[in-house]
């Protein structure tokens, strides 16, 4: 998956590898291995090529130094780490960091019980029959084979599933004391009861199949949606309250220039729950260009704030570098500071891709132009 500078910057664990022109450092030995045509001495060629590569090494050193200094200028910035608690929020402002985990535990409780079917699936999946049932048109056959690696002729799933059932039973017996909203309590009870019934049935028979599991999950589909409603409700309320307080702290003028960096796994990076909420709480003419989704290997990233600020510094620098380095080519400028890879147009052209995006499309994808259009819309409103 190619990295981009703004909406999806690739893995946070490799953030330091990104460079001004999205290049990746390569071995000078590999570059010098080929002997050029003619009578050039191989040693001279190696030296000459290393001299050329030194230019890029110098550029990278200068770029890194500038980035480190720009990082110190950033603020206000909010860094959001997605997690089981709904979000770990850090406000960086005037050299200080303010940290909160504002979301009610109801968020975690609702999601915990909604995960019952996934918990059962995780135990029994290896022992599924590795053949897609008739009518399952949305299921990839090879994916199923990879998941159902043990096959149906074993009972290794019984003991771990009974262990899981013990926890479900304990949660069910103490559910009344959890102080949940009434409809959430009812939906949790339905999910737990259905899960226990299903587990007892298949462990008694020592067999299961995909249609039977889907029948079980279909019975509690509405209950899962109720749990999802409550998780979303408390998260929205908490983030709104937090952003209101932090807006008062930094002031309206500084808030207008606010950057928000949301760190999330690839599987939740598109329409991320925190990003959706936050976009509605930022100034409308800034949200498209100042809300950044950063893809990470896991929900918990060591030194997450530094990782976020380091990438943000790169974005800010590239916004200016793009207009100065490619002052005569707006399409390349937008590629450097937006979603498209800098070499994308050249590669598409050389490959003869007739569906290559036009310049206008690239301009529309650029956050700078999106922001400009938003501002103009506000003026015209």
């Amino acid at each position: 998956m190619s990295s981009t500078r703004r909406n999806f910057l690739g893995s946070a664990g490799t953030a330091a590898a990104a460079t001004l022109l999205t290049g990746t450092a390569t071995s000078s030995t590999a570059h010098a291995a080929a002997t050029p045509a003619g009578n050039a001495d191989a040693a001279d060629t190696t030296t000459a090529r290393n001299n050329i590569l030194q230019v890029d090494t110098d550029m990278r050193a200068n770029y890194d130094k500038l980035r480190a200094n720009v990082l110190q200028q950033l603020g206000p910035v909010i860094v959001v780490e997605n997690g089981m608690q709904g979000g770990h929020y850090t406000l960086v402002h005037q050299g200080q960091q303010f940290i909160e985990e504002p979301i009610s535990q109801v968020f975690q409780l609702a999601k915990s019980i909604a995960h019952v079917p996934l918990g059962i699936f995780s135990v029994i999946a290896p022992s599924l029959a590795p053949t897609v049932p008739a009518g399952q048109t949305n299921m990839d056959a090879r994916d199923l084979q990879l998941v159902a690696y043990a096959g149906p002729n074993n009972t290794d799933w019984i003991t771990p599933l009974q262990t899981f059932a013990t926890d479900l039973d304990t949660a069910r017996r103490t559910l009344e004391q959890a102080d949940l909203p009434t409809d959430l309590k009812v939906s949790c009870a339905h999910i737990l009861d259905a899960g226990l019934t299903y587990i007892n049935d298949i462990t008694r028979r020592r067999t299961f199949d995909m249609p039977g599991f889907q029948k079980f999950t279909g019975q509690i589909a509405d209950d899962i949606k109720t749990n999802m409603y409550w998780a979303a409700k408390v998260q929205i309320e908490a983030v709104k309250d937090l952003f209101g307080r932090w807006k008062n702290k930094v002031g309206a003028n500084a808030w207008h220039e606010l950057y928000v960096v949301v760190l999330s796994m690839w599987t939740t990076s598109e329409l991320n729950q925190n990003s959706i909420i936050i976009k509605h709480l930022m100034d409308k003419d800034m949200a498209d260009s100042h809300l950044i989704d950063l893809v990470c290997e896991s929900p918990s990233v060591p030194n997450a704030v530094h990782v976020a600020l380091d990438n943000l510094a790169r974005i800010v620098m590239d916004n200016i570098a793009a207009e100065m380095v490619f002052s005569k080519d707006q399409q390349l400028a937008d590629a450097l500071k937006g979603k498209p890879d800098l070499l994308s147009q050249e590669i598409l052209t050389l490959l003869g891709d007739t569906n290559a995006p036009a310049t206008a499309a690239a301009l529309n994808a650029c956050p700078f132009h999106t922001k400009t259009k938003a501002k103009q819309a506000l003026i015209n409103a």
Side-chain angles (χ1 to χ4, degrees), residues 84-86 102-114 178-189 191 221-239 273 277:
M84 292 186 296
Q85 81 283 10
I103 300 169
S104 164
Q105 194 182 28
V106 169
F107 173 90
Q108 291 177 263
L109 298 170
K111 290 187 67 176
S112 178
I113 302 304
D179 191 26
L180 299 177
T182 300
D183 57 339
L184 177 59
K185 180 175 64 177
V186 170
S187 63
C188 287
I191 295 170
D222 289 341
D223 297 301
I224 291 175
K225 289 180 180 178
T226 297
N227 284 43
M228 292 170 64
Y229 163 83
W230 275 102
K233 174 180 169 62
V234 298
Q235 187 175 33
I236 291 170
E237 291 173 349
V239 176
Q273 56 195 29
I277 299 169

Side-chain angles (χ1 to χ4, degrees), residues 46-362:
T46 298
T47 298
R49 291 186 174 188
N50 286 340
N51 291 340
I52 292 172
L53 292 175
Q54 184 62 41
V55 174
D56 192 58
T57 300
D58 293 344
M59 180 281 292
R60 294 171 192 276
N62 293 334
Y63 185 86
D64 289 345
K65 182 178 179 180
L66 175 60
R67 187 180 74 250
N69 289 325
V70 170
L71 188 152
Q72 301 301 319
Q73 315 304 316
L74 296 174
V77 178
I78 294 176
V79 178
V80 184
E81 302 168 63
N82 284 284
M84 292 186 296
Q85 81 283 10
H88 181 92
Y89 283 72
T90 302
L91 169 65
V92 180
H93 180 55
Q94 295 180 341
Q96 294 182 283
Q97 293 188 13
F98 306 89
I99 301 171
E100 291 198 31
E101 291 184 354
I103 300 169
S104 164
Q105 194 182 28
V106 169
F107 173 90
Q108 291 177 263
L109 298 170
K111 290 187 67 176
S112 178
I113 302 304
H115 287 158
V116 166
L118 188 58
I120 297 173
F121 163 82
S122 300
V123 176
I124 67 174
S127 300
L128 283 165
T131 303
V132 177
Q136 293 288 335
T137 56
N138 293 323
M139 187 173 292
D140 184 89
R142 179 54 180 160
D143 288 351
L144 177 58
Q145 291 172 0
L146 293 171
V147 171
Y149 55 84
N153 297 320
N154 72 84
T155 56
D156 294 344
W157 52 272
I158 292 179
T159 298
L161 196 59
Q162 289 173 329
T163 300
F164 187 50
T166 299
D167 288 339
L168 299 188
D169 181 65
T170 301
R172 180 64 179 94
R173 287 186 288 104
T174 58
L175 184 61
E176 288 291 335
Q177 287 75 52
D179 191 26
L180 299 177
T182 300
D183 57 339
L184 177 59
K185 180 175 64 177
V186 170
S187 63
C188 287
H190 288 168
I191 295 170
L192 288 167
D193 289 343
L196 286 166
T197 298
Y198 177 74
I199 292 174
N200 290 336
D201 178 53
I202 65 173
T203 54
R204 176 180 55 81
R205 293 188 292 108
R206 302 175 71 83
T207 186
F208 67 90
D209 58 22
M210 189 181 296
F213 181 84
Q214 291 172 322
K215 180 180 179 181
F216 145 62
T217 56
Q219 293 171 345
I220 55 174
D222 289 341
D223 297 301
I224 291 175
K225 289 180 180 178
T226 297
N227 284 43
M228 292 170 64
Y229 163 83
W230 275 102
K233 174 180 169 62
V234 298
Q235 187 175 33
I236 291 170
E237 291 173 349
V239 176
K240 278 186 175 180
D241 176 72
L242 177 65
F243 270 55
R245 289 186 283 111
W246 278 357
K247 184 175 183 178
N248 291 333
K249 181 187 290 290
V250 305
N253 290 336
W255 187 263
H256 182 72
E257 302 298 328
L258 172 75
Y259 272 103
V260 180
V261 182
V262 180
L263 295 92
S264 61
M265 294 186 297
W266 179 86
T267 52
T268 59
S269 59
E270 186 76 12
L271 290 179
N272 177 269
Q273 56 195 29
N274 275 302
S275 298
I276 294 171
I277 299 169
I278 291 166
K279 186 171 184 178
H280 285 268
L281 302 176
M282 297 176 68
D283 287 358
K284 291 183 178 180
D285 61 326
M286 303 298 281
D288 286 327
S289 60
H290 280 50
L291 174 58
I292 299 155
D293 289 292
L294 182 63
V295 180
C296 310
E297 288 103 338
S298 67
S300 179
V301 181
N303 304 314
V305 173
H306 177 77
V307 168
L309 295 180
D310 183 70
N311 279 279
L312 178 57
R314 182 176 289 109
I315 290 170
V316 170
M317 291 164 55
D318 287 354
N319 286 344
I320 304 303
E323 296 299 330
M324 295 178 65
V325 174
F326 296 116
S327 61
K328 301 298 184 181
D329 192 325
Q330 191 61 56
Q331 185 172 359
L332 284 177
D334 291 336
L336 179 55
K337 62 184 177 181
K339 287 184 178 182
D341 187 277
L342 197 60
L343 290 178
S344 59
Q345 288 300 310
E346 289 294 337
I347 291 173
L348 288 167
T349 299
L350 289 171
L351 291 175
D353 191 334
T354 57
N355 295 318
T359 300

Side-chain angles (χ1 to χ4, degrees), residues 27-36 42 45-46 49-50 53:
S27 167
S28 60
T29 302
H31 277 287
T35 302
T45 298
T46 298
R49 291 186 174 188
N50 286 340
L53 292 175

